[in-house]
Amino acid sequence: MEKIELEITGMHCASCATVLTRALERTPGVKKANVNLATRRATTEVDTATEADLIKTIEGKGYGAKPAVAGMHEDHTGAEHVHHFRKLLVLAAAFTIPAVLIGMLFMEDGLLFTGVEIEKGVWLIALLATPVQFIAGWPFYQGAWKALKHFTSNMDTLIALGTSVAYVYSLYVVIFRGDGAQYFEVAAVLITLVLLGKFLESRATQKTSQAIEKLVNMAPKMATVIRGKKEVKIPVDDVKTGDLCKVRPGEKVPVDGVIIEGHSSIDESMITGESIPVEKSKGSDVIGATINTTGSFVMKATKVGTDTTLSRIVNLIYEAQGRKAPIQRFADIVSSYFVPAVLVVAVLTFVGWLLFGGATLEFAIISAVAVLVIACPCALGLATPTAIMVGTGKGAQHGILIKGGDALETLHKVKHVVFDKTGTVTKGKPEVTDIITMGKASEQDVLRIAASLEHESEHPLAQAIVADSKAKRLKLSKIKAFRSLTGKGIEGKIGTTTYRIGNPRWIGLENAKVMQLESQGKTVMALAQGRKTLGVIAVADTLRDTSKQAVLQLEQMGITVHLLTGDNKRTAQAIAHQAGITQVHAEVHPDQKEAQIAALQKRGTVLMVGDGVNDAPALARADVGIAMGSGTDVAMETGSVVLMRNDILDVVRAIKLSKMTMRKIKQNLFWALVYNIAGIPVAAGLLYPFTGWLLSPMIAGGAMALSSVSVVTNSLHLRAQKLK
């Protein structure tokens, strides 16, 4: 299965997106398709269809399409879209405002001018309204014609038809009747208001993409590459895998890579959210776009272009904003039937008032035009995607990468959270937890001798002891006569004295303290000088700092927390006890984890959190899979959410973000539906016999524009809410 993304031009409303989605889904070789009105993108999953096939389908519907480039230096702001509507709006306003002013002057016969002058004034209004109707309003005619060619209708149909009826009727009155009400300025004002709404909507929608814009702007433009013995400045896009790059203090790391010479402190806050710089030295991985704060170093490029961490994050956000939430299907269904239904209501309104209501032709036309205008489904179409865009963007700013609207929606329904142990609830890296001395030896002596013996070992437990000694700045001794005994430990000489470190039973030590440490899930190593035990060192994969707090908050939200691990029961129970987890599933093989998740799904929506390859099947099986950012690529690709900060509390924040976003979506859908349900009867004149209320097309146009802007603005309020 291949994923193809396309940028689409020419879309104006929700029904445009619906028409294109259906057309793409009917294209041979396409398994799944989604067209997002807010992002102007089509996301498809295909098996045999090609990019050219999809573009042909879209162009066949009268829209434009081109491949969506994933490069880092694209304009992701939607500025071109905003500029387009700004130009049309300025043109429309330049002619509409004089037309309205002249219309007010010639409002009443004999007030200021003679009949002849009034007639000239009407023709002047017609002259001013014409460029608004056919130049500023031309995009609506284009859209309506595209829809008509494929036997569909959209928002453009409503605007083009409504304003054209008003314009043509007015022209008829002026030419053939000589007197009577004319509505040139009404049509002009209507087009201007719709364009104003589109402009404000595009400005507001542009703000929903600020998370991507900020990330893109973080990317460095130039890199210093070592060619032979020379340093050459080249564009970052030209850096190749394997290139050696020089990075000086204050510069941004050009691409992802590994340090081969030098050391420094790197500000990784744009990826992790942590403000404290991270110490880096030879062999350390560095991430493109992070900032080198102190020393200079030489790095080898390992990931460039679209493979860098920053590019992947941007692409994940785009994927998230383009994927449709299940609740969006409701809006799509309503929108697909809405426009045809409105056309029918408009015709019935016209016929009803003209034939049965005893109204004038003018009254019937104005009522039908008001119905056409006020019923635009844009607000309904924008209700979900704008909230999804803001929600995923806000998540990205907090290091929570949500890959799709479906995941964002599902998160708020979670009843069970299942944590992997190693690298998820725990740090995934053994650390020295206890040093217990025996006899006259100090803790520093025990640690120094143990680290000296373990210095050359690659075993994780040995590396934990060495790392602890480095942190405490202990000077290690040179070891002679080194010997490793499989399953037991190691021994060697410092000077003429022989030391051993390893299994306490091999050393001949077995007491209550050792047993107590082992019962806590810790690995205990004893250090001996000859036959005399100097002390013991306990090493364990320690709990993440926020694991206990995260578990507590999840339980307070009414969510059951589980620990799922392949580790032994004793260690699993010890870690679970520390974290406050009561539901423990230990000694579970990788192929059994998926079955455990499937069993839990019978009891409610399941969220799985993991980091390793062995977690991938469980992450895929769960209703929502969350991968730790420090985990394997397989886990990150499988999970529908990625936690870049490796903070387990972000699981809680992701669920809270889902609840906040869903609340906004429901608010948007409610008000969009209420607006249309309440507005159409008023526009049709149903209240006129009882109250005298009749909605003018100009007011209807303003209300329609306001509804779209209000939906987007309500979604933008998400940005101000805090994820505590």
Side-chain angles (χ1 to χ4, degrees), residues 229-395:
K229 295 183 179 181
K230 293 184 178 179
E231 296 180 2
V232 183
K233 286 272 188 182
I234 65 171
V236 167
D237 291 341
D238 294 338
V239 177
K240 307 292 187 227
T241 303
D243 280 347
L244 299 182
C245 303
K246 180 82 171 191
V247 186
R248 294 181 173 84
E251 293 182 344
K252 290 184 177 181
V253 178
V255 294
D256 293 6
V258 60
I259 294 177
I260 62 171
E261 182 184 316
H263 63 273
S264 183
S265 296
I266 306 289
D267 180 357
E268 296 183 339
S269 57
M270 52 84 63
I271 295 293
T272 65
E274 298 295 330
S275 58
I276 301 173
V278 182
E279 294 292 326
K280 301 283 185 177
S281 57
K282 185 178 179 181
S284 299
D285 293 324
V286 289
I287 301 170
T290 55
I291 301 171
N292 181 25
T293 61
T294 53
S296 298
F297 60 85
V298 177
M299 57 169 285
K300 183 179 181 180
T302 57
K303 293 181 180 179
V304 300
T306 58
D307 294 328
T308 64
T309 300
L310 185 58
S311 286
R312 290 172 64 191
I313 291 172
V314 170
N315 290 334
L316 282 173
I317 299 172
Y318 257 127
E319 184 180 346
Q321 295 180 345
R323 287 173 61 181
K324 192 175 294 184
I327 197 171
Q328 176 66 18
R329 295 169 194 152
F330 167 74
D332 288 347
I333 293 170
V334 174
S335 296
S336 65
Y337 294 103
F338 200 75
V339 174
V342 169
L343 291 173
V344 171
V345 172
V347 171
L348 291 175
T349 299
F350 176 79
V351 173
W353 278 114
L354 192 63
L355 299 183
F356 305 107
T360 62
L361 177 64
E362 176 189 335
F363 187 97
I365 288 175
I366 294 304
S367 298
V369 170
V371 169
L372 290 173
V373 172
I374 202 168
C376 169
C378 274
L380 192 64
L382 290 166
T384 299
T386 53
I388 294 293
M389 288 179 71
V390 177
T392 53
K394 186 177 182 68

Side-chain angles (χ1 to χ4, degrees), residues 439-451:
K440 296 181 179 179
S442 66
E443 285 190 13
Q444 284 195 347
D445 288 336
V446 171
L447 180 59
R448 179 180 57 79
I449 295 168

